[in-house]
Amino acid sequence: MFCFQCQETARNTGCTVAGVCGKKDNVANLQDLLIYVVKGLSVVRINLGYSNDAIDKYIVDALFTTITNANFDDQDIISKIKEGLALRDQATPTCSCGCSVDLPDCVTWKPENDEEIIAKANSLDVSVQATENEDIRSLRELLTYGVKGMSAYLHHAMVLGYDDKELHKFIRKAMASTVDDTLSGDDLTAFVLECGKYVVDTMALLDKANTETYGHPEITEVEIGVRNNPAILISGHDLKDMEQLLEQTKGTGVDVYTHSEMLPAHYYPAFKKYDHFVGNYGGAWHTQKSEFESFNGPIVMTTNCIVPPAESYVDRIYTTGVVGYPGLKYIPVDENGNKDFSEVIEKAKKCAPPKQIETGKIVGGFAHNQVFALADKVVEAVKSGAVRKFVVMAGCDGRHNSRNYYTEFAKALPEDTIILTAGCAKYRYNKLNLGDIGGIPRVLDAGQCNDCYSLAVIALKLKEVFELEDINDLPIAYNVAWYEQKAVAVLLALLHLGVKNIYLGPTLPAFLSPNVANVLVENFGIGAISTVDEDIEKMINQ
Ligand code: SF4
Ligand code: SF3
């Protein structure tokens, strides 16, 4: 195996024996093959002009499946590979004139059995390392990871019935470009930057899907203690699963709590009507082992990030959607988009109530609509100098102790600054009680990582209000924490919006070759974080 798609990759170069995330060698290779199948399907659809919704849906699903901490199940991935090959072969015309000879191996390769699938997965053909030139490899992977993140967001929008053909078209074009040896580094760089535009469009679509379906997020205090009832914990990003679980648990005596990236569900008006929707339990994804143990009740993982489960709760953790882990129970979706959580509810009734691990409340719900409602107050605070700077600290959290930097950075920020956040990065500082500035909390949480879109909308609105030419003239600094591929997509979105001088940490991506990293540094001023003191000086005081 060779995988370097996330921030925790071994030695910041690549996981080669097993994933730091727990992904085994065979699963990593099968995921590479699944991506290879996606490339083949993309080439078929572009070169041969076939149009097929099932293929579009499949491509988005497969890309999301390979995101970090989503699917660890080799059998599930083999099934998806076979499904993709069947779709590819239906779409590929058979012709006796030999016109398919120029098609790449990802289109023409045909396995006879599972052994051949596994052998192909283990071969160099499908590996990241198949591309020898390190800059081309770097650009191909940067594009692939951006498209993976974009697909995750598109998947969520599609689940809610929102879709856009143009987004699928770009995904196909981008994936096909990664097997086109005629493309230069400049060509691929153009694709990477174009990806940012489509990520913005995808996040806008998802924002529309979420807000039209569940209302606009509003300021909300979320309980972090527990009640004395049996309960279900729901994690991940899928709001439709949230809705169905809340509906099905109504009147059962079973409470529902959110974990990690599901916290922002509390901010949506549609979910406030459930009085058994109690609060949020625990922190970001990487603290799940101890928290799932002490929660006592069943856990539903709707998307990433799942980590290999501990024995203490292996019999009460359920997966659904693209999530997979060998041996865990899976909740399927029916043809109408419905899921039956009755088994989880029955399981909850037999479990003890959650053990309290903290008390208090956290405040969030500062997506664009809510911030616009406070616009006068915010603009006045900036004009009067009460707010000197905003710092976007959105993104992901992770296991490494080096991420304490973000807690220390938040604590060290001068009191006339406000943190704008989204994604699970917030757990490094959202319980610090950093106070408020004239009633505006110093940590404004817009929601999940996809709600970085809200932060961009807010920035563009401020640019308009202050009549500025350039988004970079706003008093906003960017100190973004990344971990998985959705954060890569968000980064490309910010670049597309013209944001410069983004600080990225805790380390720069291993998949950026020195030359590709230079392009980002020279054209966009992207930089690595250093020490808290130095960074406060650079980002706030200069
Ligand atoms: Fe390693 Fe990250 Fe890939 Fe897991 S997802 S194998 S930790 S690089
Ligand atoms: Fe977190 Fe996995 Fe990225 Fe959605 S839950 S932000 S890491």
Side-chain angles (χ1 to χ4, degrees):
M1 73 175 280
F2 182 86
C3 181
F4 61 174
Q5 68 174 352
C6 84
Q7 189 275 326
E8 293 186 0
T9 194
R11 300 170 302 282
N12 207 31
T13 52
C15 295
T16 53
V17 182
V20 172
C21 59
K23 190 162 74 176
K24 296 207 166 78
D25 173 77
N26 65 324
V27 175
N29 292 345
L30 286 165
Q31 288 190 358
D32 286 346
L33 179 56
L34 184 56
I35 293 296
Y36 196 69
V37 171
V38 165
K39 291 174 182 176
L41 267 168
S42 301
V43 172
V44 165
R45 278 219 45 186
I46 287 171
N47 287 0
L48 306 174
Y50 275 73
S51 176
N52 180 327
D53 286 348
I55 293 181
D56 285 343
K57 192 164 175 294
Y58 170 85
I59 289 176
V60 165
D61 189 275
L63 285 162
F64 191 9
T65 299
T66 66
I67 222 161
T68 301
N69 291 341
N71 198 311
F72 295 80
D73 189 339
D74 55 343
Q75 292 309 315
D76 191 19
I77 297 167
I78 289 175
S79 311
K80 287 184 194 236
I81 289 168
K82 289 181 183 166
E83 190 191 336
L85 291 172
L87 283 169
R88 185 198 69 182
D89 294 342
Q90 281 160 25
T92 311
T94 45
C95 174
S96 55
C97 76
C99 58
S100 68
V101 285
D102 288 338
L103 291 169
D105 181 66
C106 57
V107 178
T108 55
W109 166 74
K110 278 193 178 43
E112 296 291 331
N113 49 42
D114 282 13
E115 285 69 41
E116 286 187 25
I117 289 179
I118 291 165
K120 187 72 169 176
N122 293 340
S123 74
L124 182 65
D125 299 354
V126 305
S127 167
V128 166
Q129 291 173 311
T131 306
E132 282 172 19
N133 178 301
E134 72 164 351
D135 297 328
I136 299 291
R137 185 196 309 147
S138 176
L139 288 164
R140 284 178 173 179
E141 294 310 309
L142 174 56
L143 180 57
T144 303
Y145 305 151
V147 169
K148 284 188 184 190
M150 176 182 161
S151 296
Y153 295 148
L154 181 53
H155 192 279
H156 292 309
M158 289 168 73
V159 162
L160 293 175
Y162 290 73
D163 205 354
D164 178 351
K165 287 276 162 214
E166 290 304 309
L167 302 176
H168 294 282
K169 203 164 145 190
F170 175 75
I171 291 172
R172 294 193 303 267
K173 212 167 72 165
M175 291 310 291
S177 79
T178 65
V179 287
D180 184 345
D181 291 331
T182 67
L183 296 179
S184 66
D186 286 348
D187 297 332
L188 285 167
T189 304
F191 269 115
V192 167
L193 298 179
E194 199 183 357
C195 184
K197 175 207 170 320
Y198 286 98
V199 176
V200 173
D201 293 350
T202 309
M203 290 198 293
L205 182 74
L206 179 54
D207 183 82
K208 186 172 150 71
N210 286 340
T211 55
E212 286 186 355
T213 313
Y214 303 116
H216 281 281
E218 47 195 38
I219 304 178
T220 308
E221 280 195 328
V222 181
E223 179 65 56
I224 57 174
V226 299
R227 301 200 306 200
N228 199 25
N229 299 324
I232 296 169
L233 188 60
I234 173 166
S235 191
H237 304 70
D238 196 309
L239 295 183
K240 184 149 186 198
D241 288 342
M242 182 81 241
E243 179 190 6
Q244 296 193 22
L245 182 66
L246 285 171
E247 267 303 305
Q248 292 174 35
T249 41
K250 219 165 47 180
T252 62
V254 172
D255 287 341
V256 174
Y257 294 78
T258 53
H259 187 261
S260 191
E261 273 286 72
M262 201 54 96
L263 157 68
H266 292 277
Y267 311 155
Y268 286 90
F271 301 138
K272 289 178 190 273
K273 62 175 186 259
Y274 300 98
D275 55 13
H276 64 293
F277 188 29
V278 178
N280 189 68
Y281 190 83
W285 64 272
H286 59 99
T287 51
Q288 68 186 246
K289 274 199 171 157
S290 66
E291 289 160 3
F292 288 2
E293 183 168 330
S294 61
F295 185 75
N296 292 329
I299 305 118
V300 179
M301 294 300 307
T302 68
T303 71
N304 61 315
C305 282
I306 184 172
V307 308
E311 270 306 305
S312 57
Y313 60 84
V314 77
D315 64 331
R316 54 182 167 89
I317 177 165
Y318 297 77
T319 61
T320 189
V322 301
V323 188
Y325 196 90
L328 299 191
K329 294 206 177 82
Y330 182 81
I331 314 276
V333 63
D334 72 15
E335 63 281 4
N336 300 315
N338 295 321
K339 294 183 183 177
D340 178 1
F341 290 103
S342 54
E343 189 185 332
V344 189
I345 298 166
E346 288 314 305
K347 179 80 180 171
K349 288 179 182 166
K350 296 188 195 103
C351 295
K355 180 180 158 201
Q356 184 136 292
I357 51 174
E358 54 192 346
T359 56
K361 287 184 164 60
I362 42 184
V363 182
F366 297 94
H368 54 88
N369 214 51
Q370 178 64 82
V371 174
F372 291 173
L374 300 170
D376 291 349
K377 215 170 171 177
V378 174
V379 170
E380 188 42 46
V382 175
K383 283 191 175 153
S384 71
V387 173
R388 178 161 46 126
K389 212 150 201 177
F390 296 92
V391 191
V392 171
M393 290 181 71
C396 308
D397 197 6
R399 300 176 172 92
H400 290 165
N401 288 339
S402 57
R403 288 186 189 254
N404 288 339
Y405 161 94
Y406 294 103
T407 310
E408 295 309 315
F409 185 90
K411 282 190 200 161
L413 277 171
E415 285 183 2
D416 54 2
T417 56
I418 286 184
I419 296 172
L420 301 175
T421 194
C424 66
K426 63 171 130 316
Y427 286 100
R428 289 281 166 178
Y429 44 79
N430 68 344
K431 295 171 188 167
L432 291 178
N433 294 321
L434 292 177
D436 64 274
I437 300 176
I440 308 167
R442 289 196 53 230
V443 178
L444 295 181
D445 176 23
Q448 297 180 338
C449 47
N450 46 286
D451 294 308
C452 283
Y453 172 72
S454 254
L455 304 183
V457 172
I458 293 166
L460 292 171
K461 183 76 183 172
L462 288 175
K463 178 178 154 230
E464 188 188 307
V465 171
F466 290 109
E467 296 175 356
L468 298 170
E469 287 288 308
D470 186 342
I471 198 167
N472 296 295
D473 293 336
L474 284 167
I476 305 181
Y478 291 81
N479 190 359
V480 173
W482 83 284
Y483 170 55
E484 34 78 345
Q485 300 76 52
K486 290 187 234 177
V488 176
V490 169
L491 178 71
L492 296 180
L494 291 175
L495 299 186
H496 170 74
L497 292 170
V499 176
K500 296 224 158 63
N501 304 322
I502 297 170
Y503 287 82
L504 197 59
T507 52
L508 289 185
F511 55 79
L512 295 181
S513 67
N515 287 332
V516 172
N518 264 345
V519 170
L520 296 180
V521 172
E522 278 165 19
N523 294 308
F524 299 99
I526 285 186
I529 57 167
S530 59
T531 64
V532 168
D533 288 348
E534 258 182 50
D535 291 347
I536 294 268
E537 194 50 39
K538 282 188 282 195
M539 290 183 222
I540 310 298
N541 296 333
Q542 281 177 12

